Amino acid sequence: ADFAVRCNASVAGDKWPGYIGYLDDLLSVFPDARIIYNVRDPRALWNSAQRFKDRRRGDELLNLMLENDERIRPHLERPNFLTVRYEDLVCETEETVRRMYEFLGCDFSTRYLRYDPQGDPYPDRWNWVPEARGRIDPSHAFKWKETVDPADIARITTTASSFMDHHGYGR
């Protein structure tokens, strides 16, 4: 609520992936809540989880993503759920963000696509990873193709084949 007030937002939300574990409870209290489900190519997620701060959590986070997908998938055909692929968000930003705004019932303006650090009510939120302050590089969505070993790509693809097929990720 504080963030929404500081930003003069008409819609407020939260992006914690852990909410999927409480989805049935949330929907029992807020049955008409609009849920945007953001998915990412499992190979890219694995690569990021392996390499981010050298934590080597690829398999752990891949399995968590697949478990969460099983929990949410029965709800995805409801009109108050929208699935957004990370790759579409970073490569086809305006079109994808327009779709999100329409889904939320909000007016869209291209000025919303430009980040203004001077007007950010929470500028410290970007300190956890310095790269987050810069422009989004769409090529990062496909960096896994160059950095993940082919054997790992094959293993991840096999493990996540149902997810990939459902969300339109080519093998």
Side-chain angles (χ1 to χ4, degrees):
D2 178 61
F3 186 80
V5 169
R6 288 187 191 201
C7 296
N8 194 29
S10 58
V11 174
D14 199 339
K15 65 171 194 67
W16 184 53
Y19 287 130
I20 291 177
Y22 303 96
L23 188 58
D24 291 331
D25 294 333
L26 286 168
L27 291 172
S28 72
V29 177
F30 305 106
D32 298 323
R34 295 186 187 178
I35 311 257
I36 298 175
Y37 178 47
N38 186 223
V39 298
R40 188 173 185 189
D41 187 308
R43 297 157 295 195
L45 175 126
W46 186 91
N47 182 52
S48 179
Q50 280 294 99
R51 297 188 192 308
F52 182 70
K53 297 189 177 185
D54 201 33
R55 291 186 177 155
R56 304 280 178 215
R57 296 181 63 205
D59 290 336
E60 174 191 349
L61 294 183
L62 174 65
N63 289 327
L64 180 61
M65 181 190 75
L66 296 175
E67 289 170 17
N68 284 338
D69 190 66
E70 283 185 37
R71 283 189 192 100
I72 199 169
R73 197 178 292 188
H75 302 280
L76 295 180
E77 296 306 315
R78 293 169 129 187
N80 58 321
F81 279 74
L82 174 69
T83 301
V84 173
R85 294 180 353 148
Y86 167 80
E87 295 78 10
D88 296 337
L89 189 56
V90 299
C91 294
E92 300 168 13
T93 305
E94 184 174 336
E95 178 183 326
T96 305
V97 172
R98 260 185 212 281
R99 200 164 41 99
M100 292 167 58
Y101 271 69
E102 182 179 313
F103 171 75
L104 294 171
C106 298
D107 293 330
F108 173 79
S109 170
T110 55
R111 70 183 166 90
Y112 301 149
L113 299 174
R114 293 183 294 278
Y115 174 65
D116 175 13
Q118 301 302 320
D120 190 337
Y122 290 102
D124 293 340
R125 66 187 158 144
W126 304 113
N127 292 343
W128 66 281
V129 58
E131 297 84 16
R133 287 184 180 269
R135 291 191 55 81
I136 295 171
D137 181 352
S139 72
H140 286 181
F142 307 100
K143 188 169 43 176
W144 63 268
K145 292 179 181 182
E146 300 164 7
T147 57
V148 179
D149 182 88
D152 284 323
I153 291 173
R155 181 178 57 80
I156 296 161
T157 300
T158 298
T159 301
S161 61
S162 174
F163 177 97
M164 293 172 67
D165 293 344
H166 187 266
H167 297 292
Y169 290 104
R171 297 192 202 189

